[in-house]
Amino acid sequence: MHTLQKNRQVLTSITLLLFLTVLVAASTDFTANNEPFSGFGNGFIVLTLLLALYLSYHLYQLSRSVEQENTLFNSLLHNMPNGVVTYALDEKLTILYANERFFELIGRSRDEVTREFNNSGLPFAGSVFLFQKILEINATEGPANFDLEFPITRKNGGTIWIYANCYRRRDLHEQDTLSYLMIDITHKKNYEAQLLRECNCYSIATALTNDIIFEYDIDTDTMTFSAKYVEIFGRAPVIKDYLHYLRQSPYIHPESAYNITTVSSALASGEENISAELRLLTPKNTYEWFCINGKTIFSAANTPVKVIGKLSNIEVQKATIDQLQSRLSRDPLTDLYNKTATERAIEQALTQLAQKNASQYALMIIDIDNFKNVNDSCGHLVGDEVLQTVAANLGTVFSARDIIGRIGGDEFVVFVRHLATADEIFKKTYAISQSLQMIQPAKAIKISASIGIAFAPQNGLTYKALLAAADQALYQTKTSGKNHFAIAEKQDSDKS
């Protein structure tokens, strides 16, 4: 713009000079010859004058057009939503130009900046960051464009954060200037500060807990564990090809294979919630129970992208639960299964045996003969000791895979698996009889038992069916003299 004005002034001056020259020449010719503009020289001058007039007019039109564009540009700068300011690169960063948004951002008016700061931009340009950046640019001959982020303290005492895109240049007067395009990023900075606080809290919480936090990237099939994973297991926290690792890992107990399949499928398919219990090998070379819980994160397109969760050691909880369940399932006097637990255990065994097509198994009801006489003659404490001894003897007669329970005061149930022949059960009844004869709470009292036996599948395929059949056989034993056994009659298939 300044160059156009300067050129227009020069051309106008030349045009005026030529015009005066033509007038002088014309006057001279007229005086000498009474004919103005005669001769070749005068014609050339006239043409030059016309050309200069044309160029002057064209330059004037161009200058007007540039002025209009400059006016529009300045209007846009003045009203744009971002702050725009140009500083002189002098000792006080003199403000050469600033739009209204700049003054809104700094929280002061033009007059206040002029009056209170002598039109200095030092408080508003992030001077500490700026001068360091300029030194770096000068030292490395870096680019004239650079970015800054800095805080500004406003008149009301509040602080805002500014992002500035800066451009350093030298103007027509050979003065170094620096222009800022400024954006308020206070909200972004506050969010970053809040996020940093939350990350710090997360780090502290993670350090204070024994839980292992994890993040699984579905696209890359990469699992990343927190530092607690290294502390507990002593293994690398980042595992690539994680689904393959799960299926081949030597650190997972074989009994957890089914749960591993469930976890792998859930991770691969992006199920919303993931939960499973696994037995994992620890540096102590023992397996411990861990619970994995995860929540899937979805993209805006509802595509699963990550799973965030935790891995918790639940060994103590599992042991406590097992102890509680054991207490609930055990008879407090004999430590055998109680009535409810006996039924549940036998039902589970029957289901498993049916799936394996096992050949034959038996259920026995063992009832102590005349046990009331023991309590009446020797007292309940002695009676309890007799029951405990009977329970211990049954444990020696039968194997650990058989199920032994106490279902009444002096009644016991034994479920025997995998019988090759019926003779095996007869040998067991003889062994029971022999062991009971060794119990003698008083000289006049001998301990014996009546036994009812039912076989599966002949007498039924459920606990209740077998118990009813064995109980019927026991009744026959009781009514025929006691101290021996009876076998239940085969039931019709529709009654089993």
Side-chain angles (χ1 to χ4, degrees):
M1 176 61 188
H2 293 293
T3 302
L4 286 172
Q5 288 178 339
K6 193 172 184 179
N7 291 341
R8 188 176 68 178
Q9 290 171 358
V10 170
L11 192 56
T12 301
S13 299
I14 294 172
T15 302
L16 288 174
L17 182 61
L18 288 172
F19 183 71
L20 290 173
T21 303
V22 171
L23 288 179
V24 171
S27 175
T28 303
D29 285 348
F30 183 76
T31 303
N33 304 318
N34 291 323
E35 291 181 9
F37 305 109
S38 63
F40 175 78
N42 290 337
F44 176 77
I45 292 173
V46 170
L47 289 175
T48 303
L49 176 61
L50 292 174
L51 178 62
L53 286 172
Y54 170 76
L55 291 174
S56 179
Y57 175 77
H58 183 71
L59 189 60
Y60 172 78
Q61 292 293 341
L62 182 61
S63 177
R64 286 286 304 272
S65 175
V66 171
E67 284 179 356
Q68 291 174 354
E69 290 179 1
N70 243 3
T71 300
L72 177 60
F73 179 71
N74 287 333
S75 176
L76 289 173
L77 284 179
H78 186 74
N79 295 292
M80 71 186 304
N82 301 327
V84 178
V85 61
T86 298
Y87 301 109
L89 279 176
D90 52 23
E91 292 182 355
K92 68 173 187 177
L93 284 182
T94 303
I95 299 175
L96 301 177
Y97 169 83
N99 68 354
E100 287 300 319
R101 178 57 178 161
F102 168 78
F103 293 101
E104 290 176 7
L105 287 173
I106 67 175
R108 290 176 170 84
S109 67
R110 291 177 185 270
D111 291 339
E112 287 173 332
V113 172
T114 302
R115 184 174 63 254
E116 297 176 17
F117 301 97
N118 194 23
N119 207 35
S120 170
L122 288 174
F124 319 116
S127 305
V128 175
F129 306 94
L130 170 63
F131 294 143
Q132 180 63 35
K133 193 70 176 180
I134 290 175
L135 288 175
E136 293 175 5
I137 291 173
N138 290 340
T140 60
E141 297 182 355
N145 284 75
F146 56 91
D147 298 328
L148 287 179
E149 289 186 6
F150 55 89
I152 292 178
T153 302
R154 309 183 78 198
K155 183 178 180 179
N156 61 8
T159 300
I160 66 168
W161 273 88
I162 295 295
Y163 163 81
N165 180 255
C166 311
Y167 176 63
R168 180 185 178 185
R169 69 184 180 90
R170 181 165 292 180
D171 65 12
L172 297 172
H173 304 292
E174 300 300 317
Q175 182 181 27
D176 285 334
T177 63
L178 188 65
S179 297
Y180 279 20
L181 178 64
M182 302 166 63
I183 301 173
D184 185 353
I185 58 170
T186 306
H187 180 73
K188 170 179 172 287
K189 282 292 185 179
N190 289 341
Y191 176 77
E192 289 176 351
Q194 180 183 353
L195 186 61
L196 180 61
R197 288 193 298 270
E198 291 177 355
C199 287
N200 289 336
C201 291
Y202 167 80
S203 298
I204 293 171
T206 302
L208 294 176
T209 180
N210 285 325
D211 291 342
I212 299 168
I213 308 302
F214 68 82
E215 178 181 316
Y216 174 70
D217 190 299
I218 295 176
D219 289 338
T220 62
D221 189 22
T222 301
M223 176 65 82
T224 303
F225 292 104
S226 63
K228 187 66 70 173
Y229 181 84
V230 181
E231 180 183 330
I232 293 176
F233 292 104
R235 299 192 281 269
V238 179
I239 305 173
K240 298 183 180 299
D241 298 323
Y242 188 65
L243 296 182
H244 175 76
Y245 169 85
L246 279 179
R247 291 188 288 268
Q248 304 295 326
S249 174
Y251 305 114
I252 301 173
H253 196 281
E255 292 180 2
S256 296
Y258 175 78
N259 287 344
I260 284 298
T261 302
T262 301
V263 171
S264 299
S265 175
L267 289 173
S269 62
E271 289 186 18
E272 185 173 356
N273 296 293
I274 297 171
S275 182
E277 293 182 354
L278 311 169
R279 291 183 68 191
L280 305 179
L281 186 66
T282 68
K284 297 178 292 185
N285 205 33
T286 58
Y287 286 97
E288 294 184 5
W289 281 101
F290 285 81
C291 179
I292 180 171
N293 287 293
K295 181 78 173 179
T296 301
I297 297 175
F298 295 84
S299 67
N302 202 33
T303 302
V305 291
K306 292 182 183 297
V307 179
I308 306 296
K310 65 178 183 177
L311 188 65
S312 308
N313 189 313
I314 58 170
E315 180 69 18
V316 174
Q317 295 93 313
K318 289 287 286 187
T320 302
I321 291 172
D322 289 345
Q323 289 176 1
L324 291 174
Q325 289 179 340
S326 178
R327 290 177 184 176
L328 291 173
S329 63
R330 294 289 173 174
D331 172 52
L333 178 64
T334 62
D335 200 36
L336 299 177
Y337 282 122
N338 59 29
K339 183 176 182 180
T340 302
T342 299
E343 178 177 356
R344 182 169 58 248
I346 294 176
E347 283 288 5
Q348 291 176 354
L350 286 167
T351 301
Q352 294 171 359
L353 292 169
Q355 293 172 350
K356 295 178 181 179
N357 295 319
S359 56
Q360 186 171 242
Y361 27 95
L363 184 143
M364 307 171 66
I365 297 181
I366 303 167
D367 184 86
I368 307 301
D369 295 329
N370 306 313
F371 184 71
K372 185 175 182 301
N373 293 337
V374 176
N375 284 332
D376 292 343
S377 301
C378 304
H380 288 281
L381 290 178
V382 174
D384 289 345
E385 291 177 0
V386 169
L387 292 175
Q388 290 172 339
T389 305
V390 171
N393 290 348
L394 291 176
T396 61
V397 172
F398 296 94
S399 68
R401 67 180 181 179
D402 298 325
I403 299 170
I404 307 172
R406 180 185 176 207
I407 64 171
D410 57 356
E411 279 191 337
F412 298 84
V413 165
V414 178
F415 182 77
V416 184
R417 311 175 195 236
H418 306 296
L419 290 173
T421 64
D423 289 341
E424 290 183 37
I425 206 69
F426 302 149
K427 293 177 181 179
K428 296 290 185 183
T429 58
Y430 178 77
I432 293 172
S433 178
Q434 291 296 107
S435 68
L436 293 181
Q437 290 180 11
M438 304 298 295
I439 305 172
Q440 193 168 1
K443 290 184 179 181
I445 299 177
K446 294 183 179 181
I447 302 299
S448 64
S450 299
I451 302 174
I453 304 172
F455 290 97
Q458 294 93 323
N459 297 115
L461 296 173
T462 65
Y463 172 76
K464 289 183 178 180
L466 292 174
L467 185 67
D471 191 54
Q472 185 65 36
L474 176 64
Y475 176 77
Q476 295 176 8
T477 304
K478 289 285 190 180
T479 58
S480 60
K482 303 180 182 180
N483 193 24
H484 63 100
F485 69 89
I487 299 173
E489 297 180 358
K490 183 178 179 181
Q491 301 292 319
D492 296 333
S493 59
D494 58 345
K495 294 181 181 181
S496 60

